[in-house]
Amino acid sequence: RKEVEQDPGPFNVPEGATVAFNCTYSNSASQSFFWYRQDCRKEPKLLMSVYSSGNEDGRFTAQLNRASQYISLLIRDSKLSDSATYLCVVPSNTGKLIFGQGTTLQVKP
Amino acid sequence: EPEVTQTPSHQVTQMGQEVILRCVPISNHLYFYWYRQILGQKVEFLVSFYNNEISEKSEIFDDQFSVERPDGSNFTLKIRSTKLEDSAMYFCASSEASANLGETQYFGPGTRLLVL
């Protein structure tokens, strides 16, 4: 299994749709997880941290399933401005960040 | 809001030349990192730095690479003799504590390096 694996997409959805991204990770000892957002040719920016079973912030919900080593990100009521690449990120035991390939979302009017 | 800054935003160099990429991390942060992203690929870890020394480096970070924190605010990445395959976006990041403890790493805007 790859260290962090994501479906690269692209996901093309209409405005207002609900969309979910999945991520699997290989290190069963990982304790914290992150979703970052990356716009084209820009730096990754933290979207959400996930420590326990999940986290919710407005339209965004992240869920963690430790038994399956699986993290998801749900976006409700998609906006045009949500169009970006969503990066699943898992810290190693030493603190370096291990990035997935990213899932590209395109929200269309 | 405090942020990580990087200079230059773009750098074009000839193969074999030395380049220095500069970063100013967030002032109260103690952990510093360099990552790179080749166009179309995922973000990859290069090196982490804590307490004035390298704490971890990846296979990419060979003898051609070095890092320095010369004056307590700047954090630099030097590539001694650039290769074509060094062309990438280089991101600096910093954090208050280690990410494996749940601490967030904040990224600078990046330096886009093009080696000709």
Side-chain angles (χ1 to χ4, degrees), chain B residues 2-33:
Chain B
E3 56 185 22
V4 177
T5 59
Q6 289 185 242
T7 54
S9 58
H10 294 78
Q11 173 101 44
V12 181
T13 190
Q14 295 290 323
M15 194 168 56
Q17 295 296 303
E18 175 184 284
V19 294
I20 298 176
L21 310 183
R22 301 180 195 281
C23 168
V24 178
I26 294 172
S27 61
N28 63 330
H29 286 185
L30 300 175
Y31 293 76
F32 313 110
Y33 309 84

Side-chain angles (χ1 to χ4, degrees), chain A residues 3-4 31-32 34 36 38 41-44 46 49 51 87 91-102, chain B residues 33 35 37 39-45 56 89 91 98-110 112:
Chain A
E3 287 184 293
V4 181
Q31 295 296 313
S32 57
F34 304 94
Y36 278 74
Q38 186 175 32
R41 295 176 176 261
K42 301 284 190 184
E43 74 272 28
L46 180 70
S49 307
Y51 304 121
L87 308 175
S92 72
N93 298 339
T94 57
K96 71 182 181 194
L97 297 183
I98 302 169
F99 286 78
Q101 183 77 19
Chain B
Y33 309 84
Y35 294 84
Q37 187 175 30
L39 190 64
Q41 297 187 21
K42 64 181 181 179
V43 178
E44 301 173 286
F45 167 79
E56 187 178 0
M89 180 75 108
F91 294 111
S98 182
N100 64 328
L101 302 175
E103 195 66 29
T104 301
Q105 289 183 22
Y106 294 90
F107 284 75
R112 184 166 297 282

Side-chain angles (χ1 to χ4, degrees), chain A residues 33-81:
Chain A
F33 307 87
F34 304 94
W35 283 101
Y36 278 74
R37 171 193 167 128
Q38 186 175 32
D39 292 289
C40 189
R41 295 176 176 261
K42 301 284 190 184
E43 74 272 28
K45 290 190 175 175
L46 180 70
L47 181 66
M48 297 185 78
S49 307
V50 189
Y51 304 121
S52 55
S53 61
N55 192 11
E56 185 170 329
D57 182 6
R59 298 183 295 109
F60 299 85
T61 301
Q63 292 200 311
L64 169 63
N65 183 323
R66 288 188 191 275
S68 303
Q69 293 177 216
Y70 169 97
I71 314 155
S72 66
L73 177 68
L74 183 80
I75 305 176
R76 287 181 295 277
D77 189 23
S78 302
K79 313 283 184 203
L80 295 176
S81 56

Side-chain angles (χ1 to χ4, degrees), chain B residues 4 26 40 46 53 65 78 87 90 92 101-103:
Chain B
V4 177
I26 294 172
L46 290 178
E53 59 183 28
F65 290 85
K78 182 193 287 187
S87 296
Y90 288 80
C92 173
L101 302 175
E103 195 66 29

